[in-house]
Every structure is written in structure tokens, then in C-alpha cells.
Amino acid sequence: MVRLQSYVLLGFTAFALAAASPATKRRTPLIKDSLPQVPRGWTLHRAAPAHHMIKLRIGLPQSNFAELEKALHEVSDPAHPRYGAHLSKEEVEELVAPHPESLDLVEDWLISHGFDVATLDRSPAKDWITIIVPVHQAESMLDTKYNVYKHEATGMELVRTQSYSLPEYLFEHVDVIQPTTMFGGGMRAMDTTSHIELDDSEPGASAAADDCTNTRITVACLQDLYKTKGYVPKVPGKNKIGITGYLEQYANFADLKQFYQAYVPAAVDSKFDVKLIHGGKNDQNLSLAGEEANLDVQYAGGISYPTPNIFWSTGGSPPFIPDLVTPTNTNEPYADWLDYVLGLSAEELPQTITTSYGDDEQTVPRDYAIRVCNELAQLGARGVTLFYSSGDFGVGGNNKTRNTCITNDGTNTVSFLPAFPASCPYVTAVGGTTNLTEVAVNFSGGGFSNYFPTPDYQKKEVESYLEKIGSTYDGLYNRTGRGYPDVAALGTSFRIIYQGRDVGIGGTSASSPAFAAVISLVNDALIAKGRPPLGWLNPWLYSTGYAALNDITSGSNPGCNTTGFAAGPGWDPVTGFGSPNFEKILALLDLEK
């Protein structure tokens, strides 16, 4: 009976639309994005308060992104005449600016909902418009219903909707609006990948800085292993490395000083610069020091010293434990950080950036993931090398059980779960190794994207690997997806100072700053010779750069009740092409140590 009523209603709706005028049809709300079900782990808790304020970000199509992508490939391809001729901030903004028609139509829509377009908050390229509205107005504008959703395991709450609509005439003029359908990974929109392995509970270092074992890795160990020892940066005033921080992960200066005293004495009086984004903080109360933030600044800084380090602390860690007045936090840290960094001048923008945070790809709506990835491409076009840790759950994404690998598309299909932004083809994803004679560490995130196709620069390597494994895991992953990671570095037993104690820590979030610091030194050598930095690394890496890496040929990344992918000669979705050899990289680039 219910099904019959649905058919009758659908038939009536179709008749009504057919009878409507063309102008009315174009203003008919059509679903822009929807979720087939509430994401796993979340339950609908209650209706969102009508007057709760939401910051909506409206992404307009970037009219010449194809030209930007073409330029990105040309300036990043060692075989192209434009190699190294990175674009300026202004050139990038011109290519991503929306078409005037899109601006006009979106502005008219906003005017119809009472906004003064002269006061709108816009990105420099005008491809993003940000508005702050109460829930009831957002519901009217997007023909939707916002609810408070509760995370079953943590009790955290989040204001989101399972679908939203736009007038038909706006469909081609709006890429994405968030926060709407993005719930984020597991219980947080972003998640670190580090984990404390060992707690000595003793202040200070327990052994010499260069005492290296499989269970004790220091800066000196990495300098020896990756052949950077003895290199003194030549242009630290021109070359910089950036480190992202989220989730109220605070990088502590007292811990850094103690770390340098123990492991990098020459750097003991140096610090990192702190930039606070969208309400970000960096509280120096020692009890609030973050293990992830400390790991990142201590190793990125320790390996690259005296290269200036910039630590960005971005506010917003949705969702959070609510109080009776404010049920949720609707910030989107990805977008807030990108807004800030894309607005930096050439002098302010670091040549190398490392990030140790990410989501399961499937928890990020496809349109939003694509848009974020395209924003990252803008940084690459400007000459920035972006590193992202590949995750710590093997082929199982960021699912902490590692064996419950189910899609959230309504089909409940068993599947490997790729990670994002590591799956974005415009970043260099870093997997993990273990032991001084490196093998793949069993938690190294890796696999194939369900959102992004295999890019041309890696098709040969991906096809070769898939040919080797044949039908193994057929149906569990996307054979035509972007393969990751691209490279790897040690990710176990790093010694850090955390809240005044010398402890061990591991994760691919250790691997990413370690690899990034080595490349930052390469950029220093390039800039000292009057040459441009490497920029987007992958075209160089897949064409020639792989020859300067330490190929990791054993180990695997189990998950989802499987043994995962296996490392082997050449590229593999566990360790990529392997770990860095600084001396070989310099030789390949015709540079001297």
C-alpha cells in the first residue's frame, strides 16, 4: 500500500512539473548531493535548533581549472620546456576564478534570500563565498532539514543533513556547499595517524642521540639512513617547511627545547613560527602538548635545521562534546587551512608542507573531495611540494578495528577503504617502513582511490603491479583508481619529548615529516643554485626520481581480514617507490652535497 502511494505521488509530481512553465522548472529544487544512509557509527539524535548558526561555504566552478591542471603538469614534468616555471598567486587565481555568469546567478540567489552581495566573504579568486546563517535559513535555502547526529561510540554530536537541493538553474554554477553531507571519518572530521608505542616515564633521553636500533630511532638515525648527515642548509632565509596542526594538537616549545638538547644540540636555541588560523591555538601548558604536533615539529625541524619551520594551528575539530546551548561545531578545517595558505604571498609560502591528518575517503563527499584536491593542485602549481601520511590501518583506511571494512553507500559491501587526502593525485602520499634495514610496516596505509582515476604519470607502475597480483582481491578495490602511497619512510620507534617525557611514537605521521624534511633540504640545495624548488613531486618522481630512492621489497599492509597488498620491486601500494636517499637525489639533480 505504501509503495502504491509512492508511485501515485511520483506520477502526480511528474505531471505537475510537466505542466509548469520553463521558468518555474528552472527554479524547481533538485537534489545536489545526498547520502543513501546515515554514515556508519552515527544515529539521528534530534532536530537541529532553528537558530543555531552555520557557516556555509559555497564553491563556484573554477572556469579554467583544465588550464591550471595543464600548467601544473608542464611546470612539474622534467621533460617539459616549462619545467620549474611555477605560476604566481595571481596567475593561479585568474585560472580558478568562476565564470561571470556563475557569479551573477549565485549572487542573485543570495540576494533573493536577503544577503547584501557587497558584504559577502569571498576567497581571493572569488571561487568560494562564505555565509553565516541560522539553521532555519539554511534549510530554506537548501530545501533540506538539518539534524543533530550522535556518534554512538563517543557521544559526540554533529549538525548535518543527509541531502540538500538547489534550484535547477544553479546546478552548473555551484560545485559544492558544505557543511551539509560531510560527516568526516569515524568520529572526527580529521584524525591523526600517530600512536604512542612506548612510555619510558622518565624525563630526558635515556641513551646517546646516535644510539640507533630497530626500536629506537632519533634524528641522527634518520640522517645516517637517508644520507643527509653533514649537509648544512645554504639558504635558510629563502627556503621554509610548513607543518599543519589540527584537533587542538599543540606543539610545545619546552618539549622542543628538551628534544633539541637531547637529540639536536646545535638547534637548542631555535624555535618554529606559529601561525593561528580560524581560531586555532597553541596553548603552551605542558599538559596540553600534543604527541602528533610535537612529533611533527621535532622531526621536521630536527632534520631540516636551520631551515625555518612554520606550524599552522587551524581551529575547528568537528564534532565536539556539546553543551546545552551549542550542540555542535560546524567548522571545516580542510577548507579553513586552504583558504589561509592559498592567500599567502610567494615570500610567505613554504616550498614544502607536511600533513599527518586524514579521513577515510568514503566519509568525504565526492564533490567536496574533488574540490579540496583541486585546491591542493593550486599549491602545486605555485611550486609547493605537499606530503600527506597514508594512514595507519593498512588497506582498511582509518577504521580502528581494521577488520570492519564496509562501504557506506547503502550497499554495505565489504571493501578496502582508501584514505583522503592521500588519494588525491596532486599530493605525494607517504607510507611507512620499520627497522633500520627497511621493510614495509604492517600498518602502512595504501591502496587505490574510489574517487580519483589512475593518473597518467603512474599508469605504467600501477598496471605493472596489478598484473603481478592478478585476480587477488578482485572486487575489494578499484583497479582503475589512483594508487598510493608514492613513497615511504621509517614510521616506528621515533623518540620524541612529550609533556616532558622521552617516549617512543610511531605511525605514517612520523614518516611524512621525515620524508618532507629530506625534500626540504633538496629544495635548499636547488634554491642555493638559483634553481626553482621541486614543487609537485609526482611527475619527477615517477619519471626519474624513483631511481634515487631505497626500494622496499618486503612486508605488507594487512587489514579487512586480509593480508593486504605486498611490497615488491618497484612501485607498490604499501611503500610506493621507497624511502629517500639524499645523496642520490642530489646527484640525480646535478647538485652537490
Side-chain angles (χ1 to χ4, degrees), residues 380-550:
R382 291 180 61 185
V384 178
T385 307
L386 296 166
F387 291 97
Y388 279 81
S389 58
S390 69
D392 286 358
F393 304 96
V395 294
N398 284 344
N399 185 319
K400 290 183 168 50
T401 67
R402 297 190 68 177
N403 288 319
T404 308
C405 300
I406 306 294
T407 61
N408 63 3
D409 59 1
T411 65
N412 293 324
T413 303
V414 176
S415 176
F416 292 166
L417 301 178
F420 178 83
S423 64
C424 171
Y426 305 125
V427 308
T428 301
V430 187
T433 67
T434 188
N435 298 342
L436 293 172
T437 54
E438 291 179 279
V439 298
V441 68
N442 62 2
F443 56 69
S444 183
F448 300 87
S449 173
N450 290 318
Y451 287 177
F452 303 100
T454 310
D456 288 342
Y457 63 74
Q458 70 165 192
K459 278 188 175 179
K460 179 181 175 182
E461 288 74 17
V462 167
E463 290 171 358
S464 175
Y465 184 84
L466 294 182
E467 185 178 349
K468 291 176 186 176
I469 67 171
S471 60
T472 305
Y473 305 139
D474 272 3
L476 292 179
Y477 70 97
N478 176 21
R479 294 180 66 90
T480 63
R482 184 279 207 260
Y484 77 98
D486 304 293
V487 295
L490 274 177
T492 58
S493 302
F494 280 42
R495 303 308 300 182
I496 68 167
I497 301 298
Y498 169 56
Q499 298 182 358
R501 296 173 295 125
D502 189 289
V503 303
I505 193 169
T508 57
S509 58
S511 311
S512 186
F515 204 109
V518 174
I519 294 301
S520 182
L521 295 179
V522 175
N523 281 333
D524 174 87
L526 285 166
I527 295 169
K529 289 288 188 179
R531 294 164 60 181
L534 284 170
W536 179 37
L537 199 65
N538 294 3
W540 170 82
L541 181 66
Y542 282 83
S543 61
T544 59
Y546 67 88
L549 302 189
N550 307 311

Side-chain angles (χ1 to χ4, degrees), residues 50-344:
H51 295 286
H52 173 69
M53 304 303 290
I54 296 179
K55 184 178 76 170
L56 290 179
R57 293 172 49 82
I58 305 165
L60 282 65
Q62 299 167 330
S63 58
N64 287 310
F65 182 79
E67 286 299 313
L68 174 80
E69 187 178 37
K70 179 174 179 288
L72 170 63
H73 280 272
E74 291 175 353
V75 302
S76 307
D77 179 1
H80 197 278
R82 289 186 67 187
Y83 181 58
H86 301 119
L87 277 62
S88 68
K89 176 177 181 288
E90 293 72 23
E91 288 171 329
V92 168
E93 289 172 357
E94 183 177 350
L95 289 172
V96 300
H99 192 279
E101 183 184 9
S102 297
L103 274 174
D104 290 344
L105 290 173
V106 171
E107 287 179 358
D108 287 346
W109 175 62
L110 291 172
I111 289 170
S112 73
H113 286 279
F115 289 90
D116 179 357
V117 296
T119 63
L120 291 175
D121 182 3
R122 306 171 191 263
S123 63
K126 298 185 178 180
D127 55 334
W128 285 100
I129 296 175
T130 302
I131 59 175
I132 299 176
V133 294
V135 161
H136 68 85
Q137 184 171 3
E139 290 177 337
S140 174
M141 295 174 68
L142 304 179
D143 192 41
T144 190
K145 176 66 179 174
Y146 275 89
N147 293 297
V148 177
Y149 295 85
K150 192 168 187 177
H151 191 258
E152 298 164 358
T154 65
M156 292 180 178
E157 297 183 353
L158 181 64
V159 169
R160 290 294 187 268
T161 179
Q162 287 179 246
S163 70
Y164 71 96
S165 299
L166 289 172
E168 183 181 358
Y169 74 90
L170 280 183
F171 251 56
E172 295 180 2
H173 302 284
V174 173
D175 273 349
V176 61
I177 298 179
Q178 290 291 349
T180 48
T181 55
M182 181 176 174
F183 280 69
M187 62 182 179
R188 291 182 292 196
M190 304 192 78
D191 200 6
T192 61
T193 60
S194 62
H195 52 272
I196 296 288
E197 299 172 332
L198 173 68
D199 186 351
D200 292 338
S201 298
E202 294 291 339
S206 56
D210 58 355
D211 182 11
C212 306
T213 69
N214 288 340
T215 58
R216 189 177 187 280
I217 301 300
T218 67
V219 168
C221 305
L222 296 173
Q223 289 172 329
D224 279 337
L225 185 62
Y226 298 142
K227 309 299 183 186
T228 68
K229 182 162 285 187
Y231 181 81
V232 178
K234 301 173 176 65
V235 287
K238 298 180 180 179
N239 185 47
K240 298 182 287 293
I241 183 170
I243 303 151
T244 61
Y246 300 96
L247 299 175
E248 298 180 343
Q249 278 276 332
Y250 303 142
N252 189 270
F253 287 117
D255 278 346
L256 180 72
K257 187 176 184 68
Q258 186 176 331
F259 176 81
Y260 281 162
Q261 286 173 335
Y263 296 114
V264 195
V268 72
D269 293 324
S270 67
K271 292 184 177 181
F272 50 87
D273 290 332
V274 178
K275 302 295 182 183
L276 305 180
I277 302 172
H278 196 75
K281 300 176 182 178
N282 196 41
D283 196 312
Q284 290 302 294
N285 185 320
L286 193 61
S287 66
L288 297 178
E291 71 275 13
E292 174 64 50
N294 275 7
L295 166 65
D296 289 344
V297 299
Q298 289 172 18
Y299 276 84
I303 296 171
S304 67
Y305 173 79
T307 301
N309 285 207
I310 299 170
F311 176 72
W312 293 297
S313 179
T314 302
S317 52
F320 66 95
I321 301 295
D323 59 29
L324 295 177
V325 178
T326 307
T328 188
N329 182 339
T330 55
N331 291 337
E332 291 290 356
Y334 283 132
D336 292 330
W337 178 77
L338 280 165
D339 270 355
Y340 178 87
V341 176
L342 286 170
L344 296 177

Side-chain angles (χ1 to χ4, degrees), residues 342-359:
L342 286 170
L344 296 177
S345 67
E347 293 71 28
E348 297 169 311
L349 190 62
Q351 291 83 354
T352 311
I353 297 174
T354 177
T355 298
S356 296
Y357 302 76
D359 286 318

